[in-house]
Amino acid sequence: MRKKIQTKIVKVRQAKKCYPITSKAKTFIYTAESVTPLIAAGKTPKIK
Amino acid sequence: MKKRKQKEILSKKLTHPNYIFCLKKERNWCLYNALTLKKCYGGKELSAVYRLTNKLIEEEILVRKLINCDHDPEEIKKLIRELKKEKFLVYSNFSGEKFREKIKNGLKKIKYQPMGMYLLVSTGCNYRCKYCCLEHSIDTHSLQPKLMSFKVAREAVNFFFKSSPNPQYICFFGGEPLINFKIIKEIVEYINTEYPNKKIFFRINTNGSLVNQEIAEFFAKYNFVIGVSIDGTKKYHNSCRVYPNDKGTFEDTIKGWHLLQKAGCKNLGTVAVLNSQNIEAVEKNILFFLDELKADSINFEPVGIITEPQYLYLYPSPKKVAQALVKNYENLESRGKLDNYIARFLIHFLGEKVLFCRCGSRYGSLIIDPQGNKGPCFNFLGSVYFSKKGITYAKEWKNISPVNMPECTNCIAIGICGGICAAHARAVGGNIRSIDLEYSCEIMKEILRWMIWDLEKRLASKNEAKNKP
């Protein structure tokens, strides 16, 4: 009996869906004090 | 003829480049490409592929050997094809150096553009925190602290808006910035009158002790994003954050916090320095911030530079720091909030975009000292990096990225680390190009390991949910 291979190279879209921070389904409101890295990553933080 | 044939055979031999890493957790394996940030999850077959390609191996032999391990031939061939496509496996004529150069090109695209300006409105501070990293670059203990004048602040604001194509925020910093609240008030009102169309927000980092009704209402009115330095519950806060007479500062900080909360400040967060004391009860402290203080955000920063030998015990182990940061991320995410420490890496890790520079000092922070000197980082006040002209060392700072550092070439975290803090590098190795293998690098590797296996866990549970009838 041959074993089935379960190997998968993760696609960016798949990975992003797993985290609310990068998932388009949920919009985060960034309230944190240190928003510099987010701005640098091209995200515009929404301030409450 | 013979030579050409030999070359052809050799070019068909496969191997994995040295930036491919093979990790194992329980029964799962992961091949991780440290330069493209691609990850491949699977079972034992991945370990077999990795092991067999440690040395050059002909593709046919590789396939045959894997089939012998009881795997389906077609599936094996498909796997090898995919691994080749994503550069997990390469032919012997593949130039790793050229590939690295291609990745490095991304760094060239990053241009220094001030996005946030930090106004150091006061060099003095009424606290004597044991791990304060600023007391070495500014004299926070002076009885006559240097205060920024309105003229200097106004010129800085004009310079910022003129030189930045995309200004995002202005942050008031110290020492303790509220020692000079008068200037904060005047400059915010100046910006609102002179630049009403600039959509920026204001930030402040304070110890909270000097907050009064007027200040709290002012911050609420202008929607300040406020970071109050609190290290945890009373016991943990007072272990490091003290007055000059060694008395704990907890009560005064909390009093300020409640005034801000009562005034309706909506972006009120805690800023805690992770040290060997509060890290022991990190979960308890997180819950204190969330449930008792009702903080909008929690920010943890690992303790940075300690130069006084009697306080060296405040360094926690890098593993514990990483675990605490992860715990904070998980707690906040479960409540729909964001932790920025882990988030900055996670965004790049998931999006497979190399993080060239982690700190804003390398690409977008502008620090102004009370005399109007401009520089990249407040830890370098008074150094050659500060001048009246503006940021003159931007290129040098930007280029200190792991992709440019020979010491980082074979590191698993090269594509995600973004380089250690320049001030920390200087303290550890004497210059800003130094690395800190035992502390900063270890923290980063721990965080990366967590990201790799947390993603695997989430993908697996998504798959499971999908396959449920």
Side-chain angles (χ1 to χ4, degrees), chain B residues 126-129 206-210 228-243 245-259 270-272 278 284-285 288-289 292-293:
Chain B
N126 52 338
Y127 283 12
R128 293 292 178 271
C129 303
T206 172
N207 63 35
S209 63
L210 301 176
V228 180
S229 308
I230 310 175
D231 279 356
T233 57
K234 188 176 178 177
K235 178 184 164 191
Y236 299 104
H237 179 91
N238 282 349
S239 66
C240 289
R241 294 195 182 268
V242 292
Y243 281 114
N245 62 4
D246 225 25
K247 192 183 153 227
T249 59
F250 184 77
E251 266 87 14
D252 291 339
T253 294
I254 294 298
K255 200 177 120 204
W257 174 274
H258 288 310
L259 277 171
T270 56
V271 182
N278 64 356
K284 189 179 166 188
N285 287 327
F288 168 69
F289 296 144
E292 288 191 40
L293 295 186

Side-chain angles (χ1 to χ4, degrees), chain B residues 107-118:
Chain B
L107 182 63
K108 287 181 194 154
K109 287 180 197 156
I110 299 174
K111 281 187 184 147
Y112 175 84
Q113 289 177 345
M115 291 185 291
M117 179 170 72
Y118 292 76

Side-chain angles (χ1 to χ4, degrees), chain B residues 451-467:
Chain B
M451 289 196 293
I452 288 172
W453 294 115
D454 190 65
L455 175 61
E456 191 270 338
K457 200 170 78 187
R458 290 184 193 223
L459 285 166
S461 67
K462 271 214 160 181
N463 255 347
E464 223 170 77
K466 220 173 155 185
N467 294 335

Side-chain angles (χ1 to χ4, degrees), chain B residues 60-89:
Chain B
E60 272 182 48
I61 300 174
L62 175 67
V63 173
R64 220 180 304 140
K65 284 197 172 177
L66 288 168
I67 293 168
N68 285 346
C69 299
D70 285 348
H71 290 302
D72 183 287
E74 282 314 305
E75 285 195 351
I76 286 292
K77 281 178 193 165
K78 196 179 153 205
L79 171 67
I80 303 289
R81 238 182 358 252
E82 282 179 4
L83 291 175
K84 282 194 300 188
K85 195 178 153 199
E86 297 298 345
K87 302 274 186 291
F88 284 98
L89 294 180

Side-chain angles (χ1 to χ4, degrees), chain A residues 8-21:
Chain A
K8 259 192 182 165
I9 296 177
V10 184
K11 291 198 174 96
V12 172
R13 213 172 45 185
Q14 263 180 326
K16 281 186 172 179
K17 274 185 188 171
C18 293
Y19 290 82
I21 178 182

Side-chain angles (χ1 to χ4, degrees), chain A residues 20 26 28, chain B residues 290 328-337:
Chain A
K26 209 170 172 184
F28 254 92
Chain B
L290 283 171
N328 191 35
Y329 177 85
E330 288 174 337
N331 268 294
L332 289 181
E333 194 197 78
S334 70
R335 299 186 188 214
K337 292 181 179 185

Side-chain angles (χ1 to χ4, degrees), chain B residues 50-64:
Chain B
Y50 190 77
R51 193 170 22 85
L52 289 166
T53 53
N54 268 337
K55 284 181 187 165
L56 284 169
I57 183 167
E58 274 179 50
E59 197 168 340
E60 272 182 48
I61 300 174
L62 175 67
V63 173
R64 220 180 304 140

